[in-house]
């Protein structure tokens, strides 16, 4: 009997193909009859989904960067306490589409708010550090091309140099914690990307006795 679940997050710049991989990951876990919950940020809880509507709303270009950072941290505070920590305590696998690393990269690095973002998020996450973070990387050019094919939200429609900083920010963050980040090349085919994720995941599940 495990006394702690497994906390898995998926990160990547916009247009990295994260959503496709998440679908594959969930259907893989379902087939294995693993006890897992799938959740996302911004969102995850009723309060968090309300905050999501505000933070991604294209009608608020006037939103201050610090307000944005605090809204992301606020939805995370609720998410961690209402959902993530209780699920982990029950021994579940938690799969989360974006988490604190998105704030460190988008608000801390790309918006330039720096260490303040880490400070507010240390409060928000209450020690919930992911066991593994799958980072799907595509270069800014590829990401932009893929994004153009869909209706963009407030952050996605930001200028090119913003997305370049996002890319750079993820690379720098991953360098700092090579054991937690598992980087996958998102320019490969969706099946090839998933094979790499699956291989690592199976190993992890084995180690965790799941
Ligand atoms: P979403 O529609 O979930 O897109 P994606 O499929 O790319 O995850 O939009 C989330 C957007 O919010 C995305 O552009 C990244 C941004 N974001 C932050 O800037 N900071 C954060 O802490 C989080 C969780 C997301």
């Amino acid at each position: 009997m495990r006394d702690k679940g497994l906390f898995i997050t998926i990160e990547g710049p916009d247009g990295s193909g994260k959503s496709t991989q998440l679908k594959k990951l969930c259907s893989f876990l379902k087939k294995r009859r693993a006890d897992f919950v799938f959740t996302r940020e911004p969102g995850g809880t009723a309060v968090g989904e309300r905050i999501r509507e505000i933070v991604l709303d294209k009608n608020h270009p006037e939103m201050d960067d610090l307000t944005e950072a605090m809204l992301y941290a606020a939805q995370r505070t609720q998410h961690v306490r209402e959902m993530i920590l209780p699920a982990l305590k029950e021994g579940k696998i938690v799969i989360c589409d974006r988490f604190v690393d998105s704030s460190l990269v988008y608000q801390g690095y790309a918006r330039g708010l720096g260490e303040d973002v880490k400070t507010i998020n240390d409060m928000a996450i209450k020690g919930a550090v992911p066991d593994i973070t799958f980072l799907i990387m595509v270069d800014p050019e590829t990401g932009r091309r893929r994004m153009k094919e869909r209706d963009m939200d407030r952050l996605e429609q930001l200028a090119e140099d913003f997305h370049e900083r996002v890319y750079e920010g993820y690379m720098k963050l991953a360098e700092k914690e090579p054991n937690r980040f598992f980087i996958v090349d998102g320019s490969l085919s969706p099946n090839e990307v998933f094979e790499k994720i699956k291989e690592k995941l199976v190993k992890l599940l084995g180690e965790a006795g799941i």
Side-chain angles (χ1 to χ4, degrees), residues 103-197:
S103 280
L104 298 178
V105 169
Y106 282 77
Q107 283 68 50
Y109 193 81
R111 294 285 198 208
L113 292 174
E115 277 300 298
D116 286 349
V117 177
K118 183 162 180 347
T119 308
I120 54 176
N121 276 283
D122 280 347
M123 273 191 283
I125 68 172
K126 221 182 162 192
V129 176
D131 294 294
I132 180 115
T133 299
F134 290 106
L135 174 56
I136 306 174
M137 287 304 276
V138 281
D139 61 87
E141 177 59 39
T142 310
R144 199 159 44 240
R145 213 183 44 241
R146 290 182 181 171
M147 266 190 294
K148 279 196 184 132
E149 292 159 14
R150 64 187 194 214
D151 183 28
M152 290 188 266
D153 63 41
R154 197 176 59 83
L155 275 94
E156 284 174 339
Q157 64 183 8
L158 289 170
E160 277 174 29
D161 63 330
F162 180 81
H163 294 288
E164 272 154 29
R165 286 200 299 279
V166 166
Y167 180 85
E168 229 175 77
Y170 270 125
M171 287 317 244
K172 280 188 196 287
L173 197 61
E175 264 168 35
K176 277 200 245 166
E177 284 183 80
N179 289 333
R180 176 164 69 86
F181 283 94
F182 184 78
I183 305 180
V184 189
D185 176 1
S187 68
L188 298 171
S189 76
N191 284 340
E192 283 170 323
V193 173
F194 189 62
E195 275 312 306
K196 294 192 186 294
I197 292 178

Side-chain angles (χ1 to χ4, degrees), residues 81-94:
R81 285 153 184 79
E82 183 183 330
M83 182 172 184
I84 297 174
L85 287 177
L88 291 173
K89 208 167 163 208
E90 285 172 21
K92 292 193 165 115
I93 301 172
V94 175

Side-chain angles (χ1 to χ4, degrees), residues 31-49:
K31 266 193 218 136
R32 271 182 72 125
R33 295 179 193 281
D35 192 6
F36 76 100
V37 288
F38 169 67
T39 186
R40 70 165 178 182
E41 289 202 350
T45 63
V47 169
E49 291 292 332

